[in-house]
Every structure is written in C-alpha cells, then in structure tokens.
Amino acid sequence: MKEFLQNKWVKRLLFPHWVIKLLLVIVVVPLLIYSLGFGHTHSIVAYVSYGLSAYTLTVVAIKTPVLIRWIRGGLHSNQYSKRYLSDPVLRAKISLYGSTGFNLLYALFYMGTGIFYRSAWMGAIAVYYIVLSLIRMGLVRRDRQCRLLKDETEKLRHELKSSLFCGWSLFLLNIAVVAMAVHMIWQNKYYAYPGFVIYAQAAYTFYHLTKAIMNLIKYRKMGRPIIMASKVMSLACATMSIFALQTAMLMQFGDGNMDMVRLANILTGTAVCFIEFAMAVIMVVKHHKELNLLNEVETEQN
C-alpha cells in the first residue's frame, strides 16, 4: 500500500496542485446545481458531475488535516483568536450568542418560505424555531445577569433556575410539536418544495445535528447549567430539523406511496417527540435535585 501511494502518478492524482483543485470546485459546483437543481439527475452531465464531485471531495479531504493545522497555526499567532481557542468558557459564550442568532435567521427562512409557498406546515415549523430562539435569548439574558453576581453560590443557583426554566419551556414546546405532527399526519397534509429549499434544509440539518451532538459531549463537564441548557436546546432544534427534512424529502423524492409516507412520518415524529420529552424531563429532574441540594447545603452552613 505504501509503495502504491508513493507512485508518482498516484501522487499526482491524489495530491494535485491547488490550482487544479480550485478549477475542479469551480467546474463541479455548477454541474451539480444543473443536475440536481433542475431535475437532470439521469443525464450524462449528471453522471460526469457525480464522478468529478467524488474525486474533488477525495482530494480536498486528503489535504484537510494539513489545512486545519495551517489555520490553527495562524489563529494561535493572533492574541484574540488564541484567547478564543484556549478559553472554553469564552467559546461557550460566543457559541450561545452565535447559535441563537443563526437559529433566528433559520426561523425567518422557514417563515418566508412558508408564506411564499402557502405552506401551513412550514409556517408551524417557523413558529417552533422562533419560540426556540426566544427561549435561547432568555438564556443569553440570564447569562448576562449571572456575570453580574459576585457570589459563586448565587451564580450556580441562578444558572440552575435558568436551566429549569429552559427544561419546562422545552416540555411545553414539545406539546406544540406533538399537536403539529398529529395534525399533519391525521389530516394527511403534505407539501412539495423545490430542490434548493430541500438542499438548504439538508445542509442545515446535518451540520446542526453534528454540531449539537459534539457540543453536548464537549461541554457536559464544564459545570455551567446555562451552557448545557443551550446545547440541549440546539439538539432539540436539530431533531425537529430531521423531522421537517424527512417530510419534504419523502414528497420530493418518494414513489408517491402515501401510506409509506404516513408511516415514516408517524415513526419519525414519535421518535422526535419522545427525544425532546426525555430531554426536558431529564433537565427538570436533574437541575431540580441539584437546586434542592444546594439549598440544603446552604441551610446547614447557616
């Protein structure tokens, strides 16, 4: 294998000059847009674009670790970016503010798309994301209030109460999700959307789900209930995105079997509602116990 990779022709194939990589990207992107965006999925152009995109993705992925190291080196040489990379609390705060703003923008995208295509389902999802954004804004406000407190015990109590508020809000929001899903499935109301809307949904969904899971694992031991609450809300948002994406993809790329569509949406909708309900219950129970324990310890000390 090592000898094979050291072959000069293999090296040229897997490690082309950066100009060739740039040209590949410039060529592949329009071809994919033409093939997937305009319905030419079985044309010669489409098959060529599939092959070129696979090759482009391969050569770019091979160089990605080197590119990451180069970017990290540049970031560590700057005092502001170095502080960001070395301070997990700062990264968590910036993530909280940034994800809140991005979530609101996505909600507005759904609202605009729902109005344009007269889709009650998309409008309902937009309202869900807007409410989720308002809850996250509440967390941002509570984080600012927490930073003004001097006593560490009061800070922890404030964060636990904020997380409890988030858990109860998620629980109530889950009731709305159940109502939305039941109404859509029971009334057998489904909507077909253009390809670019579905691709935007898919890109956001996969990115958001991956990021939400990574952040939940990454910040679980930080000891900041507000930060963890925001990460739980991100995961709730990502699971809802999966459900919304599935409903759109089944109508756009399915075979027209409505019984299969209904069954798939029942299973996915049930799973999403159960996950969000479980997250809300865990948050409420866990932080309620921690808050009671904190109050007991404080009472004993006094």
Side-chain angles (χ1 to χ4, degrees), residues 65-285:
V66 178
L67 180 62
I68 291 174
R69 286 196 296 271
W70 179 76
I71 292 173
R72 279 188 172 274
L75 291 174
H76 279 289
S77 64
N78 181 277
Q79 60 174 334
Y80 299 107
S81 56
K82 184 178 180 180
R83 184 191 168 195
Y84 172 81
L85 292 172
S86 59
D87 189 345
V89 176
L90 178 63
R91 289 202 305 272
K93 288 179 181 178
I94 293 175
S95 175
L96 174 59
Y97 284 66
S99 58
T100 301
F102 192 73
N103 197 78
L104 184 58
L105 288 175
Y106 192 62
L108 294 176
F109 166 77
Y110 256 106
M111 181 64 75
T113 308
I115 293 172
F116 185 81
Y117 292 105
R118 298 179 181 179
S119 169
W121 171 238
M122 271 201 161
I125 296 173
V127 172
Y128 171 86
Y129 284 127
I130 289 172
V131 173
L132 210 61
S133 299
L134 293 175
I135 296 172
R136 292 168 71 94
M137 287 179 184
L139 288 176
V140 169
R141 179 172 171 272
R142 287 170 178 265
D143 180 60
R144 288 178 179 173
Q145 293 173 345
C146 185
R147 280 184 285 169
L148 298 175
L149 299 174
K150 303 298 181 182
D151 185 72
E152 292 299 324
T153 303
E154 286 302 315
K155 281 186 177 182
L156 181 57
R157 178 180 286 105
H158 184 81
E159 291 211 13
L160 288 171
K161 288 182 178 179
S162 302
S163 188
L164 272 175
F165 160 78
C166 189
W168 283 114
S169 300
L170 184 60
F171 181 79
L172 295 174
L173 194 59
N174 190 51
I175 297 174
V177 173
V178 172
M180 285 163 40
V182 169
H183 176 74
M184 183 191 69
I185 295 170
W186 186 261
Q187 297 294 327
N188 205 27
K189 290 184 176 181
Y190 302 101
Y191 303 88
Y193 309 106
F196 76 90
V197 175
I198 298 176
Y199 302 141
Q201 283 182 274
Y204 175 83
T205 298
F206 295 128
Y207 167 79
H208 198 186
L209 180 62
T210 304
K211 194 72 174 176
I213 294 173
M214 290 174 61
N215 284 338
L216 199 62
I217 297 171
K218 187 176 182 180
Y219 293 107
R220 72 187 188 282
K221 294 182 180 179
M222 182 176 284
R224 292 288 312 278
I226 281 183
I227 300 300
M228 280 305 299
S230 72
K231 302 311 173 188
V232 170
M233 298 303 284
S234 293
L235 186 58
C237 180
T239 56
M240 184 61 189
S241 296
I242 293 173
F243 185 36
L245 176 63
Q246 178 188 276
T247 59
M249 290 188 69
L250 286 176
M251 291 305 298
Q252 181 72 14
F253 305 112
D255 58 1
N257 187 341
M258 297 309 296
D259 291 332
M260 186 274 290
V261 171
R262 173 176 283 189
L263 177 61
N265 286 330
I266 288 173
L267 294 175
T268 305
T270 302
V272 167
C273 293
F274 176 78
I275 290 171
E276 294 197 5
F277 178 77
M279 289 191 297
V281 170
I282 291 171
M283 284 180 66
V284 170
V285 172

